[in-house]
Amino acid sequence: KHIKDIIEEPLMSINDDKTSDKAVIDFHCASKEDPQLCGTYQTRKKLLELSNFALILPTTNLSSLSGVLARASEALESSAIPVFVCLPDCEHFKPYLPFAAVLDWSRFSLFLPMARVTELQFLLRSFPDTDLFEMKRQGRLIWQYYLGSGPAILSSALNFLRSRIGLPPA
């Protein structure tokens, strides 16, 4: 089976859930401006600002990783918690995240192996508001200081290199 087929059926059932939680899961993008990102930046940002979580689906090749990272950055910018669905497991995926050697992504993101995708809605409902608030705040700070602009990324990369070669921080 294709990855999309494995993920689509269980996740589409979340849209039909009768609880008060609202979920927007759509695998059919009407806009094809960017094949890896659906819709415009403004429409995605508007939806993310109303969201607690941003589901980020796996990629099977590294050339598509830029789309995954763009979605994660947009989520963090909007204070939504990125939820990465990983193939085959999350330990193989985590090293590809920006500054993974120095940032503990599990403090502001969630990682779910593909095999557990049917448990997603139950997992997301299990977090108390205090944990959600802290993860959202931490993610926003990480975006602001490490990923949110060219100077922030450059400064982060230079400081990472400085620490790797044993130089004191700037």
Side-chain angles (χ1 to χ4, degrees):
K1 268 187 153 178
H2 192 271
I3 293 171
K4 184 177 175 272
D5 298 331
I6 295 168
I7 293 175
E8 189 169 346
E9 185 179 333
L11 291 182
M12 289 302 285
S13 68
I14 295 173
N15 286 334
D16 300 327
D17 191 18
K18 302 299 181 213
T19 65
S20 62
D21 298 338
K22 300 291 184 227
V24 177
I25 297 176
D26 187 5
F27 287 94
H28 309 288
C29 183
S31 168
K32 295 295 181 191
E33 293 176 23
D34 184 337
Q36 296 176 355
L37 299 170
C38 188
T40 65
Y41 171 77
Q42 289 79 17
T43 58
R44 291 190 308 271
K45 184 167 176 53
K46 189 180 211 180
L47 182 59
L48 285 169
E49 287 174 346
L50 298 172
S51 303
N52 282 326
F53 302 100
L55 186 62
I56 302 173
L57 298 177
T59 180
T60 54
N61 59 28
L62 293 178
S63 65
S64 299
L65 191 60
S66 64
V68 169
L69 298 178
R71 292 183 54 83
S73 179
E74 287 179 359
L76 294 172
E77 176 185 8
S78 301
S79 297
I81 300 166
V83 179
F84 296 99
V85 177
C86 313
L87 272 175
D89 63 60
C90 297
E91 295 312 310
H92 287 92
F93 172 72
K94 288 179 182 179
Y96 294 104
L97 293 170
F99 307 113
V102 292
L103 293 179
D104 182 5
W105 279 76
S106 61
R107 294 187 63 202
F108 52 91
S109 304
L110 298 174
F111 297 90
L112 186 72
M114 173 77 84
R116 297 186 63 192
V117 73
T118 56
E119 302 169 25
L120 179 67
Q121 63 182 327
F122 306 109
L123 171 71
L124 299 183
R125 287 188 182 127
S126 71
F127 287 94
D129 289 343
T130 54
D131 290 353
L132 291 177
F133 176 79
E134 183 56 30
M135 288 178 80
K136 291 172 83 158
R137 186 185 73 78
Q138 185 73 27
R140 176 65 185 174
L141 290 172
I142 293 295
W143 182 83
Q144 185 176 351
Y145 292 114
Y146 290 89
L147 306 170
S149 67
I153 293 170
L154 182 60
S155 175
S156 299
L158 290 174
N159 285 331
F160 175 72
L161 288 173
R162 290 176 71 93
S163 69
R164 282 289 190 194
I165 60 175
L167 293 175

